[in-house]
Amino acid sequence: MLHENIKALRKAKGLSQEELAIKLNVVRQTISKWEQGLSVPDSAMLISIAETLETSVSTILGETVAEEKADDLKVISEKLEVINLQLAQKKAMRRKTAHWFFILLCTVVVIVFAALMVSGSSYLGWDYSNPETAVVGVGFHAFEWLFSRVAPFALVGGIVGAFLTRKKE
């Protein structure tokens, strides 16, 4: 809502992100983050944006209010608090998803490694004069060779990733 309104109002005024950034005395990346919903401007910046885009703060926040209220700053702060809470929840969910992905990666690497150790490269004793057996055997051998090269990096990356994305109390 907020990010879409900032983008729509900027475009309606015919301003690029760079031009708006210059008028607000911020970097272009800040405007981009606002418009993507990755961050939100503080209440003072919202007022500056409204003045620059020649609109009201309530319009930027998505409301159509006929008259300005005396406690606009309080209303803006409350809405920003809600938006910040939503951003924090999205970030926590992405962190949790990444954490479980890294744990799953480590688990899969360990299981495949154990399966390869137990099987003991049994395909090496196969009769390779049969073309189908030869193709399957070469496939197994290629997988085992590639896995033995990639697995240590995947395991270390998974452990580091799981450690870095753990919930910090």
Side-chain angles (χ1 to χ4, degrees):
M1 171 174 61
L2 172 68
H3 62 280
E4 294 166 349
N5 290 346
I6 292 174
K7 185 175 185 178
L9 290 167
R10 174 185 60 79
K11 286 186 173 186
K13 287 292 178 185
L15 295 172
S16 67
Q17 287 183 345
E18 185 69 34
E19 291 168 331
L20 181 59
I22 291 169
K23 289 181 183 240
L24 295 173
N25 203 21
V26 296
V27 294
R28 186 203 56 79
Q29 289 81 357
T30 301
I31 305 295
S32 176
K33 284 183 180 180
W34 291 342
E35 290 183 358
Q36 292 176 18
L38 300 176
S39 68
V40 293
D42 61 20
S43 56
M45 185 55 73
L46 268 176
I47 294 170
S48 298
I49 294 169
E51 290 171 356
T52 303
L53 297 175
E54 299 171 352
T55 188
S56 67
V57 172
S58 57
T59 302
I60 293 174
L61 292 174
E63 294 179 2
T64 53
V65 178
E67 60 188 56
E68 302 234 351
K69 299 178 183 174
D71 60 342
D72 250 357
L73 205 52
K74 182 179 177 186
V75 172
I76 293 169
S77 295
E78 289 171 356
K79 289 190 182 245
L80 286 175
E81 187 175 328
V82 169
I83 292 169
N84 279 331
L85 180 62
Q86 291 171 343
L87 287 173
Q89 288 172 339
K90 284 182 183 178
K91 184 178 180 182
M93 187 58 149
R94 284 192 302 265
R95 183 208 47 82
K96 187 176 181 181
T97 302
H99 180 72
W100 285 107
F101 168 78
F102 288 124
I103 289 174
L104 180 65
L105 175 66
C106 291
T107 305
V108 168
V109 167
V110 168
I111 289 171
V112 171
F113 179 74
L116 288 174
M117 291 298 289
V118 168
S119 72
S121 303
S122 60
Y123 59 85
L124 293 176
W126 291 356
D127 177 20
Y128 281 86
S129 61
N130 182 351
E132 285 122 12
T133 307
V135 169
V136 173
V138 168
F140 279 137
H141 186 70
F143 172 76
E144 187 176 6
W145 181 86
L146 182 63
F147 182 79
S148 67
R149 293 336 184 251
V150 174
F153 296 107
L155 186 61
V156 169
I159 292 169
V160 169
F163 178 77
L164 292 176
T165 57
R166 74 192 186 287
K167 186 174 183 179
K168 297 170 185 152
E169 301 287 332

